[in-house]
Amino acid sequence: MAAAARDLSLVSQFCVAGSRLAALGKCGVHLLKKGRRGNAGFKVRAAVQLGSESEKATKPLEKTFGMDVVSEVGLREKGFMGLRKTKLVCTIGPACSSLNDLEKLALAGMNVARLNMCHGSRDWHRDVIRKIKMLNEDKGFSISLMIDTEGSQIHVVDHGAPSSLKVEEDSIWLFTAKNIEGSRPFTVQANYGRFSEGIEVGDEVVIDGGMACFVVVEKTGNDLHCKCIDPGLFLPGAKFSFWRDGKLVRRNHKLPTLSTKDWADIDFGISEGVDFFALSFVNHADSVQHLKNYLSTKSTKSIKVLAKIESLESLHNLKEIVQASDGIMVARGDLGVEIPLEQIPTVQEDIIYICRQLNKPVIVASQLLESMVEYPTPTRAEVADVSEAVRQYADALMLSGESAIGSYGQKALAVLDMTSTRIESWAREENRQSLLNHYQLGVSLPDRTAEQMCNCAVEMANNLGVDAIFVYTKHGYMASLLSRNRPNPPIFAFTKDESTIMALNLNWGVVPFPVDLSDDAESNISKSIKFMKSRGLIMHGDVVLVVSDVAPTRVTPMASQSIQVKTIV
């Protein structure tokens, strides 16, 4: 890894991050300001927080120009600075797949719905996708759809129960790859025939990074008889790894990043019009580029590819993977199996920093509020963990089992919303939104100009204390450059491209705003301000900083880029 770090052209900017990640290669891997309208709360959200079943909690909101209704209500109620900037991703599962539950999550602030293809049939996933699209169309939400591929990883096909179950200490379990009709108690069916190859009696089997632990007491052919030594929870589709003498047993099964099932799931996602694919167990940039090339030939829609960082090898190739991807997910659960647990916090911070430098959105995932799978209140340590991810300026936070199978998914989402909003407010009050020591992304003059202009625009916005930043963009690049700097005011990204709107749902501080843009920049500005005034979203005396990027046309043969400061009159 040290050699890989030296090859990073970003090394001078990444300094601390590069040294931390480099150190992983040497380590042994062991198991172990207030809004102008004050701070009025969003009443719909509050109703969801309290678990209210009142009519107010599910009353349809009026669909308008196209702006997401939750953002519109939040802006009207709380003002510009009251808008949450950290985006929220929810994994959809049996606990929240009804139309009513999905609408409650939408009202509570869900920006992206994640479908994990490890679980459920395609018919089930299709039903969820169509419900969310119905909510977007009929109720005025703007929720993006993400499919998370299963990946070629050894995991449980069946563990003898339709849902999670408790594993008792000293119980004996059979791990087998044999196709079993029906379910058998104390029997675990693996998805890969050679799962036990190279495994010996005395090796430990760790479930989902430590949810439960077994020791191999007998090996018969490819079957393993295992005794539970650390009782815990066994989840459907759980991943498992083998350990010997406190170290991960590394075996080269030469499994592809994308399995045959993954490709079928990808074709399904394309046909259903999803917005993101999250690619599991990415170790090299080639896998990401291969999928992006495939999508470019199979879909007219721009579908973004996110790479999940969940292995030591992916850290060794981090820069190349980030550059090839449209975004990154820090999958801390599986990553915590491959590197020492105590290194997860610093590695998380380093990945977030590098993603910001390279202008790629980053999601922090896994076990944020794990206790809320079973309990209605999070631990204080979990809230501190969420707060730290927000303080590090991650673009998004993700719920997994908390929303998919937990009994308190809406409350868990409310915790993420409240915590994010509070930490963002604290960061502004403490003037912690410092600009990055920027790594230059652009190569061509127009790209470098756009980059410098966005850097300057954010510095101006913060110094002048403007209420909002307006940006007019076709593909979202200018909006992402502004977001990269984490400005104090929110960024309203006006665009007419639906794929861009859905992609920007993952960018920190960006509120996508559908509008029919013309080639006349001043006309676009006038139109958007007039509309927002008519809706009571901006008012007399508000100050906005406007960033526009106009491509050459017959009417305006010269490309122009500008920054303007406008006071609403």
Side-chain angles (χ1 to χ4, degrees):
M1 180 59 196
R6 284 193 296 269
D7 289 338
L8 295 177
S9 62
L10 309 180
V11 69
S12 61
Q13 287 86 357
F14 290 174
C15 53
V16 176
S19 62
R20 286 174 180 166
L21 294 178
L24 287 174
K26 303 174 184 177
C27 292
V29 179
H30 302 283
L31 179 56
L32 288 215
K33 175 166 173 194
K34 290 183 179 181
R36 53 188 166 80
R37 298 179 180 89
N39 291 322
F42 180 13
K43 294 180 181 179
V44 172
R45 183 192 65 197
V48 173
Q49 276 179 230
L50 296 172
S52 170
E53 297 298 330
S54 66
E55 182 181 354
K56 182 180 292 185
T58 56
K59 181 180 179 180
L61 300 176
E62 180 186 353
K63 185 174 182 179
T64 64
F65 194 175
M67 182 182 183
D68 172 36
V69 291
V70 175
S71 298
E72 178 173 344
V73 172
L75 176 58
R76 186 178 291 112
E77 294 288 336
K78 298 184 290 184
F80 289 113
M81 293 302 174
L83 293 177
R84 169 179 42 80
K85 294 181 170 68
T86 306
K87 302 305 179 73
L88 305 181
V89 182
C90 295
T91 302
I92 308 304
C96 62
S97 60
S98 72
L99 186 62
N100 185 49
D101 285 334
L102 290 170
E103 183 172 0
K104 287 179 179 179
L105 289 176
L107 288 167
M110 174 173 65
N111 301 108
V112 180
R114 169 184 176 251
L115 298 171
N116 187 352
M117 300 308 291
C118 288
H119 312 291
S121 66
R122 292 196 187 104
D123 286 340
W124 185 89
H125 289 293
R126 181 181 292 109
D127 180 63
V128 171
I129 289 171
R130 295 183 179 180
K131 286 174 182 174
I132 291 172
K133 289 187 173 183
M134 184 188 305
L135 288 173
N136 285 347
E137 184 175 347
D138 295 346
K139 300 296 182 70
F141 297 111
S142 180
I143 302 167
S144 300
L145 286 159
M146 175 193 297
I147 276 185
D148 195 321
T149 64
E150 184 175 308
S152 296
Q153 179 78 353
I154 299 173
H155 64 85
V156 171
V157 175
D158 187 17
H159 58 20
S163 60
S164 61
L165 51 81
K166 298 281 187 179
V167 180
E168 301 295 338
E169 189 171 7
D170 294 331
S171 57
I172 304 296
W173 290 68
L174 171 65
F175 286 69
T176 181
K178 294 175 183 175
N179 189 11
I180 300 170
E181 294 295 332
S183 295
R184 294 183 188 175
F186 304 103
T187 302
V188 173
Q189 183 182 342
N191 70 321
Y192 181 58
R194 296 165 54 195
F195 80 99
S196 63
E197 191 174 272
I199 300 306
E200 304 169 357
V201 172
D203 290 347
E204 293 184 357
V205 187
V206 178
I207 307 300
D208 276 342
M211 295 291 285
C213 188
F214 301 82
V215 63
V216 179
V217 295
E218 181 183 346
K219 183 175 182 180
T220 307
N222 289 326
D223 293 350
L224 300 177
H225 297 269
C226 303
K227 178 182 178 181
C228 177
I229 55 175
D230 281 328
L233 196 64
F234 216 144
L235 301 178
K239 303 180 184 71
F240 57 93
S241 56
F242 295 95
W243 296 77
R244 184 179 302 150
D245 299 327
K247 295 183 179 180
L248 183 69
V249 179
R250 297 195 173 277
R251 298 170 296 157
N252 185 14
H253 292 301
K254 296 183 178 180
L255 296 173
T257 300
L258 288 165
S259 67
T260 301
K261 177 183 180 298
D262 290 333
W263 285 112
D265 289 339
I266 287 166
D267 286 336
F268 164 77
I270 294 171
S271 67
E272 292 298 322
V274 302
D275 306 294
F276 299 97
F277 284 109
L279 190 55
S280 295
F281 302 104
V282 175
N283 291 325
H284 304 279
D286 291 347
S287 302
V288 178
Q289 194 58 57
H290 183 38
L291 177 54
K292 292 178 75 172
N293 292 341
Y294 182 80
L295 293 175
S296 68
T297 63
K298 295 293 183 178
S299 175
T300 56
K301 176 181 177 177
S302 176
I303 304 176
K304 303 301 183 182
V305 177
L306 310 179
K308 296 173 68 177
I309 303 300
E310 46 195 337
S311 69
L312 180 60
E313 191 173 357
S314 66
L315 293 178
H316 288 178
N317 300 305
L318 183 60
K319 176 199 169 187
E320 292 79 8
I321 293 173
V322 175
Q323 287 180 320
S325 306
D326 298 310
I328 293 294
M329 183 187 295
V330 188
R332 304 183 303 177
D334 288 299
L335 187 59
V337 174
E338 298 238 339
I339 67 174
L341 292 176
E342 69 274 13
Q343 293 189 11
I344 291 294
T346 54
V347 168
Q348 170 184 306
E349 186 170 13
D350 294 339
I351 295 172
I352 293 171
Y353 181 82
I354 291 171
C355 286
R356 281 188 64 194
Q357 286 282 4
L358 295 174
N359 195 31
K360 302 297 174 73
V362 56
I363 305 168
V364 173
S366 305
Q367 302 173 340
L368 285 170
L369 299 171
E370 188 73 19
S371 68
M372 293 191 75
V373 172
E374 297 188 76
Y375 302 101
T377 305
T379 67
R380 303 318 182 248
E382 287 172 334
V383 175
D385 178 40
V386 171
S387 300
E388 181 62 13
V390 176
R391 188 196 63 79
Q392 293 169 2
Y393 296 122
D395 288 87
L397 305 174
M398 190 179 94
L399 295 177
S400 298
E402 302 97 326
S403 56
I405 61 172
S407 301
Y408 307 100
Q410 294 162 44
K411 288 188 176 182
L413 187 60
V415 170
L416 294 188
D417 178 57
M418 290 186 294
T419 305
S420 299
T421 302
R422 178 64 190 95
I423 298 303
E424 291 164 8
S425 174
W426 169 80
R428 289 193 300 271
E429 292 166 2
E430 297 293 320
N431 195 27
R432 303 222 169 201
Q433 314 250 124
S434 59
L435 295 173
L436 282 172
N437 179 21
H438 285 293
Y439 166 73
Q440 183 177 296
L441 296 167
V443 176
S444 67
L445 179 60
D447 285 346
R448 284 163 40 213
T449 302
E451 196 175 327
Q452 289 295 321
M453 186 171 68
C454 288
N455 296 345
C456 293
V458 170
E459 189 170 8
M460 285 181 62
N462 290 344
N463 290 340
L464 294 173
V466 303
D467 294 291
I469 298 173
F470 287 5
V471 59
Y472 299 84
T473 178
K474 183 176 182 181
H475 300 299
Y477 185 61
M478 297 281 282
S480 71
L481 288 173
L482 291 165
S483 171
R484 176 196 189 200
N485 287 282
R486 305 300 193 251
N488 287 327
I491 303 160
F492 290 85
F494 298 91
T495 181
K496 62 181 178 181
D497 184 75
E498 183 179 357
S499 295
T500 298
I501 292 168
M502 292 305 183
L504 289 174
N505 276 333
L506 206 54
N507 285 84
W508 187 96
V510 177
V511 181
F513 206 123
V515 62
D516 187 14
L517 298 177
S518 69
D519 295 328
D520 186 337
E522 288 302 319
S523 174
N524 292 330
I525 297 169
S526 176
K527 182 194 303 182
S528 54
I529 290 177
K530 181 179 180 181
F531 171 77
M532 293 187 73
K533 284 180 66 178
S534 72
R535 299 292 305 172
L537 304 179
I538 56 176
M539 56 186 64
H540 176 80
D542 286 343
V543 180
V544 297
L545 185 145
V546 180
V547 181
S548 59
D549 186 1
V550 180
T553 64
R554 289 183 181 180
V555 179
T556 56
M558 298 290 288
S560 65
Q561 295 164 315
S562 66
I563 301 174
Q564 305 176 54
V565 177
K566 290 185 174 288
T567 301
I568 307 304
V569 294

